[in-house]
Amino acid sequence: NEIIDMFRQEDIVSNQERDNLKFSVFDGFSQAIYLPVFQTAGVIENVLHELERPQEEYMAGTENEIVTDDAFFGPVLSHLTMRTAVSEVWELGTFLFLQLLGPVHNDDIVAVMNLILKWSENGALYKNMKMDKVRSAMTQFVGLVNTLKGGIGRRKPASAPRVKSSKPKFARNQPQSEARPGMRRAVSAAFLQTMSKGPSESNTFSKKKDTSEVDAVILDALRDQVRDKFRNLMQSVKGLLKDTSNNPETRDILDRITFLLSKEDGFIWDDAYASDQLDDVSKKSLFKDVLSKVHGLVACHPDDVEPKSKEVHRRLTFFVNSLFMDMPDAPSIHDMFSWNVMTPYYSEDVTYTKGDLIKRSDALGVSTLLYLQTLFRADWNNFLERMKIQDDEIWGKKNLGETRTWASLRAQTLSRTVHGMMYYEKALRLLANLERLDENTTNDLMGEKFGYIVSCQVYGNMKKNQDSKAEDIENLMHRFPHLRIAYIDSIRLNRAGAAVFYSVLVKSDGNGKIQEVYRVRLPGNPVIGEGKPENQNHAMIFSRGEFVQTIDMNQEGYFEEALKMRNALQEFAKRDGPLPTTILGLREHIFTGSVSSLANYMALQETSFVTLGQRVLTKPLCIRLHYGHPDVFDKLFFITRGGISKSSKGINLSEDIFAGYNNAIRGGQVGFKEYLQVGKGRDVGMSQIYKFEAKLSQGAGEQSLSRDVYRLCHRLDFYRLLSMYFGGIGHYFSNVLTILTIYIVIYLMAILALFDLEKIGDRLITPMGTIQMLLGGLGLLQTIPLFATLGVERGWWDSLREIFYVFITGGPLHFMFHIQTKAHYMSQTILVGGAKYRATGRGFVTQHTEMDEQFRFFASSHLYLGVEIGTALILMGIFTDAGQYFGRTWSMWLASISFLASPFWFNPLTFDWSVVTSDYGKYIRWMCGSGGNASKSWDIWWTEENAYYKKLSLPSKMISVLKATLYVIMAIGIWGSDLWSFDSLLNKPTIAINLLVIVIVAAFIIGRILAATERMLSYPLRRTLGLLIAFSLIAGIIILISEDSNYLRKALAAYYGVGAICLIGLLTGVKAVKNLYFIHDLVCGHIIFVPLFIFAALQVPSYIQTWLLYKNALSSDVVISDILKYAQKSQNSSSGKEGDEDLAAQVAELRKIVQKQEQMLMNNGVASNLSTDDRNASTDAIMGLISEPAQAAPVMPRAPEVPRGPARAMSMSGLDVWGDMALGDADEDSSPYSLQQVEPPRAPQMGHAVQGFHFESPSTMPPR
């Protein structure tokens, strides 16, 4: 139940779903606990189905064809859940009848229940009742329960009983069961003993009616409906009785039911008594709880009570399954190991502010809050239900903090991580409570066994700069007293800049202030590398536990998993091999997989690595290292062997893996257990994933150059050495070799075709395209492990559907695209260096990324290679004679398409016409821009992108020289071919070719001169000359090709020849090649834009892309079109709404005050005595403000002032309407909405102009 309550606090279940999932406990009843509704819903229907089975089934094997209860009820009694459900319906249903019908019918109900219980114990139910017709009675009972369920919760009880009388003492006999030898109890009703509140008396039917006569008719729709349902139920029960003429017991039940339905002062005929009974039960929470439980038992289908959230299904399923895994026994809280959790933090989001939530960061007008509301629609509705507010109340002062927290817990923020990790403390407190430890002992153990340290490196600077993030961090410390913040503080000593550095630990003092715990002086600035490893290592001294769990900023914890942490720590006490366990790896769940298809790919990729890969690397390969969080470290082992991170700049870019290398070298052993999981967020946008893969690839390149890997490889046995290679840096080398193989194969086939070498002697090469396609299809076998894992966890059909959706949404393109990402940055790091940390960002990606930004991101690594491969494949197709072109080249075409298309396919709104035209304009402006930074000018970007060529060593430059040689060979082959050949001797051109060439060259030179001197010319002259030059170039090229097609072949050859020259120019630092690269990038951009314009004109691809891109969001009940079609709906709304938010919050508060006043007036009997003339002007003003919020509140005339001390607005009943809220003298600890004292109605003062009361405007108006 605690787990379910945590689900409710997280808003992943509603109130009704929470009630359906929890075990029920009713004080005074026979059972200690009652099964959850989701387990017993629909079971009664199964029982009825068993009771209606054919007669020959339960008569088989009976003696003399006499049916016994054992034979008839055998299937029900043998099924534990059925038997329990019947027992619960009997017991709880009896309680409902006794409470609903009241003391007048108590004797009749008890007598009927006693007889039926007696039949059940004696095995005579089938003998005395028509059990095959129970369904009719159950149908009526379900109708009664539904009516009560729908009306009791909304019923407003009367302020006073309708029947004012002293109730006679009715006999309250309870169902009794005699203990007879050999008797069995089919169901339990011992709880009815608790219903007795007086001495047992003989069964007496009292016909006295001592009530005050009610002249007026009492209107009560619920009462009439309940009566009708109850009559129908009783008639159905009568029909179940057998032999009522000869059997005295059944006759007795029939008479009692008849008397119950005809009793004049009873529930059926006495309107006032029936209404009072309904009022009475509507006030009892126990009755409502029991009614809800019974409703779930008899009236709900199993599908109706299942939680709707997939997250709830996943977490509960994993938790229950993990309890059957191989898990060490948990010691007591006193004897368990102690541990600390540590999270490195720099400057990411802590808690979303109101500005963050309402800010619209893109042209669609989509705010972060709208995105979260759409993505987590059910959670948002659950949040509103828990807070008991509406959408327009979320920005009120009372609800603002909760709204910010709700949004932050659904993003990758520090708040989400801290809340998740502090579940460890809640779990330990629950376990301590189960061990019957007192509160003081539990509090002492919390500080001893668990601690959480967030290493906020720049927290001190945030405080100095008054950054709101520092305030949010302090709020987290106040909310979680066992949270500690470690940071690096620097104090400047003199004007020369000398400073002293300290490691500082702070905590909340419990009184709303921050207390410094420790301050340790450091020998200098500890940040010598990327920052993150130093951030972890400097805070290690503040941990007090025996173990340290490292948790990253994009992770979260779960309460149900925290309950198993003390079991997991016992893994360090085990010794599976000759070496001690020093690192314990845990399973991770990627919680961002439902955002988009890209996020789903990353989730599946992480599932393969952090589950399947880690499992195999641990056993049987025994070479699992440390790949990040949430591993648990043996703190004593690591702090004496160099810490958990290495911090040298560049070489230790992937700082986590070096802890694994260090551990393996120094004799530690790594375990990996899957019975405990931690949530993890991943990148969800194309650019974010690109940066992440680039960072990992550069980190792997630096690892291959490190001495740690060198030492480890010299000490591992051969088999573990191979396992380490393929499980780590070998993966990235394999990607480099894959791309290199594609490149070599394409150019080899193209050169063979160009020089007509596709033969041995006179025999042509026989291509094996079919076999190549078959071998390529075998690559699908790599999905089998993932398919098997998903099948076990989610079901085989869901697993198959998931794999299918990955393929149809473009998954292969995505993974092939990032093969090149890894290969590019791995090879660049080894050849050039320059590895650096790339901040990927952890926000949501809903906006479209513009073409110029896409080009800057992917041109060097993907787009150039894609165009180059595509061109080579086209040339090969033109010149080849070997046949089976598609069979030989399909895989390489797929690679080229993936490099060119992936950045745009996974970019929202790429195929929207207005977006494409806008992107094209911005791309052209960027290409022609000058000055500024790389985002403003192609010139600046190109210079920065190719700066690394200056750093290349001579061996690295030779690789580029080989590539240039390849271009030259291609150019020679194309130039010497007969492609588009034209004999100028036989067909003399109309215009001299030499003249055309001179015109084209002159136009190009003049154009470059104009570009260099354009600021010196006037705008009309510049535009005119530009148009003339552009026209001359285009016309000259078209005429040249039409007059002599040989120039088309020569231009194609020149493409490769000039490419070789440009590459050599880059290596030697020749700046003139930049102009040629400009033309190349302009051509590449238009190659991409042509299909984009075509698809945008068709319109259909835009809808297909949107659906496929957000397929996971759509399948999670998210209408993504609500986001994509928002289209600045509220972007132009009046800014005055934000200014009126305080007024709206005030109106909501006043509405609640007035409602409370009205209720109190009704309870005191004042409301019915007020005449229409006795009106309160202040209350009328408030009601006018509430009822017509769109209109301005009327200006009320000010009454003559009368000296009466502090001015207050008093209502007719003496209630202080404005109260201390207006005068500002309220006690700080008291709620402004609580009514401390209610004075009796005052007599009208005759001396005033207005009869009945005197009104004065308050001297101070409420705060606005």
Side-chain angles (χ1 to χ4, degrees), residues 78-185:
S78 61
H79 194 285
L80 179 61
T81 307
M82 286 186 183
R83 188 171 72 248
T84 304
V86 171
S87 174
E88 291 181 358
V89 171
W90 168 266
E91 183 177 7
L92 302 179
T94 304
F95 172 81
L96 292 181
F97 284 136
L98 288 171
Q99 292 292 312
L100 179 64
L101 299 180
V104 172
H105 302 292
N106 184 80
D107 291 338
D108 296 328
I109 297 297
V110 170
V112 171
M113 295 302 179
N114 270 329
L115 279 174
I116 297 177
L117 185 59
K118 175 184 174 183
W119 294 343
S120 173
E121 293 176 345
N122 295 339
L125 274 177
Y126 187 83
K127 176 182 176 182
N128 294 297
M129 301 184 72
K130 303 173 184 177
M131 299 307 299
D132 54 342
K133 297 183 179 180
V134 173
R135 181 178 293 277
S136 61
M138 184 55 65
T139 302
Q140 300 302 327
F141 179 66
V142 170
L144 175 62
V145 170
N146 283 331
T147 302
L148 289 171
K149 177 70 174 175
I152 287 295
R154 299 193 303 266
R155 187 176 183 83
K156 295 182 179 180
S159 57
R162 298 171 178 82
V163 179
K164 299 180 181 179
S165 64
S166 59
K167 300 290 183 181
K169 292 184 179 181
F170 294 96
R172 299 176 62 87
N173 291 331
Q174 309 300 332
Q176 303 289 336
S177 59
E178 300 179 10
R180 303 182 185 180
M183 294 291 180
R184 60 170 177 79
R185 288 177 61 115

Side-chain angles (χ1 to χ4, degrees), residues 183 186 293 295 347 358 415 437 450 524 565 664 792 981 1049 1102:
M183 294 291 180
K293 171 67 176 174
H295 180 267
S347 61
I358 64 177
S415 290
L437 300 180
F450 171 73
M565 190 60 191
V792 171
S981 60
R1049 182 181 73 254
S1102 178

Side-chain angles (χ1 to χ4, degrees), residues 445-689:
L445 285 174
M446 289 305 102
E448 176 185 341
K449 298 298 182 181
F450 171 73
Y452 186 23
I453 302 170
V454 178
S455 186
C456 302
Q457 178 179 335
V458 294
Y459 169 75
N461 293 334
M462 290 179 179
K463 289 283 291 182
K464 294 175 184 177
N465 299 331
Q466 297 183 347
D467 194 335
S468 61
K469 293 178 181 178
E471 183 180 351
D472 293 334
I473 292 173
E474 292 173 2
N475 290 336
L476 290 176
M477 283 192 279
H478 297 320
R479 184 168 185 175
F480 302 106
H482 283 91
L483 173 64
R484 302 290 185 265
I485 300 298
Y487 68 96
I488 298 173
D489 193 18
S490 61
I491 299 178
R492 187 174 177 179
L493 298 179
N494 52 44
R495 294 183 179 181
V500 180
F501 294 87
Y502 296 90
S503 287
V504 185
L505 185 73
V506 296
K507 69 173 184 178
S508 171
D509 65 354
N511 296 318
K513 296 183 178 180
I514 301 302
Q515 174 185 349
E516 186 174 298
V517 184
Y518 296 109
R519 177 176 288 267
V520 180
R521 182 167 179 172
L522 301 174
N525 188 353
V527 181
I528 60 176
E530 302 297 343
K532 181 179 177 181
E534 301 94 324
N535 201 7
Q536 287 181 317
N537 287 331
H538 94 91
M540 182 65 75
I541 60 174
F542 300 127
S543 62
R544 290 293 178 264
E546 301 163 87
F547 302 95
V548 172
Q549 183 181 19
T550 52
I551 294 293
D552 211 346
M553 235 292 298
N554 60 342
Q555 296 190 268
E556 70 168 340
Y558 307 117
F559 176 77
E560 66 275 12
E561 301 303 314
L563 296 170
K564 296 177 286 187
M565 190 60 191
R566 61 174 179 170
N567 302 74
L569 292 175
Q570 289 302 113
E571 298 286 350
F572 290 97
K574 298 165 58 177
R575 199 179 182 104
D576 294 334
L579 301 177
T581 299
T582 51
I583 297 179
L584 179 65
L586 302 177
R587 176 191 173 108
E588 291 178 326
H589 164 72
I590 308 303
F591 56 73
T592 52
S594 62
V595 175
S596 67
S597 293
L598 279 177
N600 186 44
Y601 301 155
M602 291 299 292
L604 294 176
Q605 178 177 311
E606 289 294 306
T607 300
S608 298
F609 177 71
V610 303
T611 301
L612 303 180
Q614 304 299 301
R615 182 187 301 163
V616 175
L617 287 173
T618 305
K619 285 186 179 180
L621 301 183
C622 299
I623 196 58
R624 183 190 186 272
L625 302 174
H626 170 57
Y627 301 99
H629 311 282
D631 288 5
V632 184
F633 292 85
D634 185 336
K635 190 183 78 173
L636 184 61
F637 180 90
F638 276 91
I639 63 175
T640 57
R641 290 166 176 82
I644 61 175
S645 296
K646 288 198 172 184
S647 56
S648 297
K649 193 173 185 64
I651 196 73
N652 297 132
L653 178 62
S654 299
E655 76 287 341
D656 298 327
I657 188 64
F658 288 93
Y661 291 147
N662 196 28
N663 178 68
I665 293 173
R666 297 178 182 271
Q669 183 174 339
V670 181
F672 178 71
K673 299 300 175 182
E674 298 184 52
Y675 54 75
L676 195 151
Q677 68 175 353
V678 175
K680 188 179 185 71
R682 269 296 172 218
D683 311 284
V684 298
M686 191 68 181
S687 301
Q688 293 177 342
I689 297 173

